[in-house]
Amino acid sequence: MVTEVLNFYDPSGACKFYDKREWEGINLVNITGDLYGYADAYEIDLSYGNIFTTPLGDLFSGKKHEQSILAAEQRLEQTCVNCKFFGACCGYPIAENGYEYNELDPDGTIRCIVHKGMLQYIEYRLIEEGIINGGIVDLQRLKVVQVDREVQHV
């Protein structure tokens, strides 16, 4: 998460955005063979289908998978696009884990309290330590010790 905060302050840093259409890194299968996306885990109505009865390619090109993609995109749009960290943070915590560690506004929009809260706290500490000063990152202020090819921060 420190890297996400530092990337936010790096004008040359590449933006990263979670795109479930491009790559869905986690899928879950229950013991009966029902396939789910991470955000939809074990909600039978949201299952993409059954891996024992349907080819995997058909499941990922099917209607239920498309609905899951649209739901993830909607969560990103409603919650992430106005966040100052979006681009440094890819939005995955909302797209795929939106309800588990967050709160809902009265209109049902997810408020990213855990991940954004951690990013804000890290930012605060980096500013407090002078590593971020006036919007500029000074990595020389980090106290880094080389120990047997492993870098340890002290």
Side-chain angles (χ1 to χ4, degrees), residues 46-63:
L46 302 176
S47 170
Y48 302 165
N50 191 289
I51 64 168
F52 298 137
T53 60
T54 308
L56 204 52
D58 291 349
L59 296 176
F60 285 115
S61 63
K63 178 180 168 188

Side-chain angles (χ1 to χ4, degrees), residues 35-36 39-48:
L35 177 67
Y36 302 89
D40 309 320
Y42 309 116
E43 296 288 335
I44 193 66
D45 294 340
L46 302 176
S47 170
Y48 302 165

Side-chain angles (χ1 to χ4, degrees), residues 15 103 130 133:
C15 290
E103 295 176 349
N133 188 353

Side-chain angles (χ1 to χ4, degrees), residues 92-109:
Y92 180 88
I94 293 299
E96 291 297 336
N97 200 18
Y99 301 105
E100 190 170 355
Y101 300 110
N102 295 296
E103 295 176 349
L104 297 178
D105 283 335
D107 68 357
T109 301

